[in-house]
Amino acid sequence: MHVLSKETNINFIGIRKYALILSALLLLVSVYAIVTKGLNFGIDFTGGTMIEIAYPEQADLNQIRTTLSEAGYDDAVVQNFGSLQDVLIRLPVIADQNMADLSNEVVAVLSANDNQQIQVNRVEFVGPQVGEELTEDGGLAMIYALFGILIYVAFRFEYRFAISSVFALVHDVVLTVGFFALFELQFDLTILAAILAVIGYSLNDTIVVFDRIRENFLKLRNAEPPEVINVSVNGTLGRTIMTSMTTLLVVISLFIFGGEVIHGFAMALLVGIVIGTYSSIYIAGSSILLLGVSKYDLLPPEKENDDAVGSDGSQV
């Protein structure tokens, strides 16, 4: 199936400076947001208690916060979850209190101060030790994934392709995480899983572009590297657009109809796929150009004894 009716001839490399400036600005904003605002870690990472309750009518969040504060739960985070009737309460770890008892006490306090019947839909507990382990293991999983990709691409292509692909992936990860920091969205294990999925998606797109670049470097022997990369990116553009569109359709459906539980997961995929598509087109190819890759780096090594003459006078 062809998305583009004609072969495109867009000068992607010609505008690479603007793309790199845009990426640099976005990276600066993302890093600034991560450093200054930090991430709004969910209880998967921080530990604590999460209680999801449902009211028969619209819940008064201010009244719930006041009730919990008067009961001594000043650090409780109260927010709507999915609808105006559903409320999510997050409580930090309290050292001298059993978390199971804590959820019962919170529900009892709210029930005593409200005439409406409260229904408890979900209660989750994560201990502080488990939260620390998940944070550490999650970070290590991302580092191992990037390191494995670096080795794989270096063996399959050339070390400068590996550096470029990892740079593009780090670009995608930092921008996606920066988006969550900037808008103070909750960052939990589902978001981490989505970011690892984005790494795989973006790498797949980048490998397709790199394959075409390597092929065209050998095919277009008289062309300069910028021209080869332009031809390669244009040659894979239809496939890139089609893959992104079909994936985005699924992710948008998850975002709209999937419910509040996977809302963050779908949001991370949505942002990551858009950024990953952009980096495959503008960042990966431009990076190998900056690193000075040429056709001579990709030519197969010459056989030393191709024209050697054997002892009997025959050519080997």
Side-chain angles (χ1 to χ4, degrees):
M1 182 177 179
H2 295 281
V3 179
L4 305 173
S5 56
K6 297 180 181 177
E7 288 188 7
T8 58
N9 187 25
I10 303 170
N11 187 8
F12 292 108
I13 296 301
I15 57 174
R16 67 182 183 281
K17 290 182 182 175
Y18 302 106
L20 291 174
I21 290 172
L22 174 63
S23 288
L25 289 174
L26 291 175
L27 284 171
L28 281 175
V29 172
S30 298
V31 171
Y32 178 79
I34 293 169
V35 171
T36 58
K37 290 191 167 187
L39 289 170
N40 178 20
F41 286 116
I43 65 167
D44 296 339
F45 296 117
T46 61
T49 304
M50 187 165 65
I51 309 165
E52 184 187 335
I53 56 177
Y55 285 82
E57 298 176 3
Q58 180 176 340
D60 185 344
L61 296 185
N62 289 329
Q63 181 59 44
I64 295 172
R65 291 188 186 105
T66 303
T67 302
L68 291 176
S69 179
E70 289 174 351
Y73 303 109
D74 297 321
D75 296 328
V77 177
V78 181
Q79 62 187 116
N80 282 118
F81 185 78
S83 70
L84 295 176
Q85 290 80 33
D86 296 323
V87 176
L88 186 69
I89 300 170
R90 286 187 292 151
L91 295 159
V93 175
I94 300 175
D96 58 348
Q97 193 161 10
N98 182 285
M99 287 190 283
D101 295 338
L102 178 64
S103 64
N104 293 331
E105 289 177 14
V106 168
V107 173
V109 166
L110 293 177
S111 300
N113 287 274
D114 201 307
N115 295 325
Q116 301 185 67
Q117 186 175 2
I118 300 173
Q119 179 184 337
V120 180
N121 290 338
R122 178 168 55 120
V123 178
E124 292 184 8
F125 314 105
V126 178
Q129 183 63 34
V130 175
E132 287 178 12
E133 288 177 6
L134 287 174
T135 305
E136 186 179 338
D137 292 346
L140 287 175
M142 199 172 297
I143 292 171
Y144 291 152
L146 291 174
F147 189 67
I149 289 165
L150 184 72
I151 295 173
Y152 166 72
V153 180
F155 271 108
R156 180 167 173 180
F157 294 93
E158 203 243 1
Y159 77 93
R160 281 170 285 194
F161 281 79
I163 295 172
S164 299
S165 62
V166 169
F167 175 70
L169 294 178
V170 170
H171 166 276
D172 300 345
V173 170
V174 171
L175 292 192
T176 307
V177 173
F179 179 86
F180 275 77
L182 187 64
F183 293 99
E184 300 178 354
L185 301 174
Q186 183 172 295
F187 193 96
D188 55 24
L189 275 181
T190 63
I191 310 302
L192 180 63
I195 288 174
L196 290 173
V198 166
I199 289 176
Y201 174 87
S202 181
L203 177 68
N204 182 49
D205 234 16
T206 303
I207 292 293
V208 171
V209 175
F210 281 177
D211 250 338
R212 188 62 65 89
I213 290 173
R214 179 173 60 180
E215 180 185 326
N216 284 336
F217 259 124
L218 302 178
K219 191 185 295 181
L220 308 172
R221 290 177 176 265
N222 295 323
E224 293 297 319
E227 183 184 350
V228 172
I229 294 173
N230 256 336
V231 170
S232 306
V233 175
N234 276 286
T236 55
L237 188 61
R239 180 257 177 209
T240 300
I241 292 174
M242 173 56 81
T243 306
S244 301
M245 284 174 57
T246 50
T247 311
L248 282 174
L249 279 175
V250 175
V251 174
I252 289 171
S253 299
L254 279 176
F255 183 79
I256 296 174
F257 304 111
E260 195 67 26
V261 174
I262 59 171
H263 195 266
F265 176 78
M267 173 65 81
L269 282 180
L270 197 61
V271 174
I273 288 170
V274 172
I275 295 170
T277 304
Y278 161 78
S279 72
S280 299
I281 295 173
Y282 287 102
I283 302 301
S286 300
S287 299
I288 60 171
L289 195 61
L290 287 173
L291 293 173
V293 172
S294 70
K295 62 184 176 186
Y296 301 107
D297 301 312
L298 302 172
L299 289 174
E302 293 183 2
K303 294 180 180 177
E304 294 180 359
N305 298 322
D306 274 357
D307 297 320
V309 179
S311 57
D312 58 353
S314 62
Q315 286 188 325
V316 179

